[in-house]
């Protein structure tokens, strides 16, 4: 069974940082590009960032570029998203997904999500 579990969300002030983690199991993690998507209240799903199967290539939405850093550890079947300089508009539920390198990718399966709230 494919399983993706996100963690690391929370409440942070504008300008603060958070690191999200994704733990994968049930499939050959190191064979797939992975990525992060998010969904803000009342809005559609937005692709945020992707990383190639071996971590050699990364990809970011314009909204994330320069502030977020994606990484993966294939030995541990984990992926992370370091988020700095957070803004209120980053508030959303963040999901990790498989086949998720770019905004047109399926990003599925995905986990249950972790809430990120940026507010003072």
């Amino acid at each position: 069974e494919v399983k993706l579990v996100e963690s690391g969300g929370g409440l942070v002030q504008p300008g603060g940082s958070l690191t999200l983690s994704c733990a994968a199991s049930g499939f050959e993690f190191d064979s797939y590009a992975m990525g992060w998507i998010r969904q803000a209240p009342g809005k559609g799903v937005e692709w945020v960032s992707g990383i190639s199967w071996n971590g050699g290539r990364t990809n970011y939405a314009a909204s994330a570029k320069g502030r977020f850093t994606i990484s993966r550890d294939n030995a541990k079947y984990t992926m992370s998203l370091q988020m700095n300089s957070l803004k209120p508009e980053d508030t959303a539920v963040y999901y990790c997904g498989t086949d998720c390198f770019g905004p047109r990718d399926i990003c599925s399966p995905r986990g249950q999500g972790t809430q990120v709230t940026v507010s003072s």
Side-chain angles (χ1 to χ4, degrees):
E1 177 193 4
V2 174
K3 192 173 183 182
L4 297 168
V5 179
E6 302 91 341
S7 61
L11 174 63
V12 62
Q13 293 187 340
S17 298
L18 278 176
T19 299
L20 306 184
S21 297
C22 173
S25 61
F27 66 106
E28 292 186 4
F29 177 76
D30 52 3
S31 294
Y32 291 89
M34 299 290 295
W36 293 92
I37 55 177
R38 68 186 181 185
Q39 187 164 24
K43 295 189 177 181
V45 172
E46 177 190 12
W47 172 84
V48 175
S49 181
I51 187 166
S52 62
W53 66 274
N54 64 351
R57 292 187 299 139
T58 58
N59 197 15
Y60 297 95
S63 58
K65 199 169 292 185
R67 299 188 300 127
F68 294 2
T69 301
I70 191 171
S71 61
R72 67 189 295 164
D73 185 336
N74 284 349
K76 296 181 179 178
Y77 272 38
T78 59
M79 177 178 64
S80 296
L81 186 69
Q82 170 70 42
M83 304 187 296
N84 298 325
S85 303
L86 283 163
K87 306 174 182 179
E89 51 264 43
D90 293 317
T91 295
V93 178
Y94 284 70
Y95 302 88
C96 63
T98 309
D99 269 336
C100 197
F101 186 77
R104 294 190 179 91
D105 290 338
I106 191 171
C107 295
S108 179
R110 60 186 71 161
Q112 84 292 344
T114 187
Q115 176 71 49
V116 172
T117 302
V118 185
S119 175
S120 55

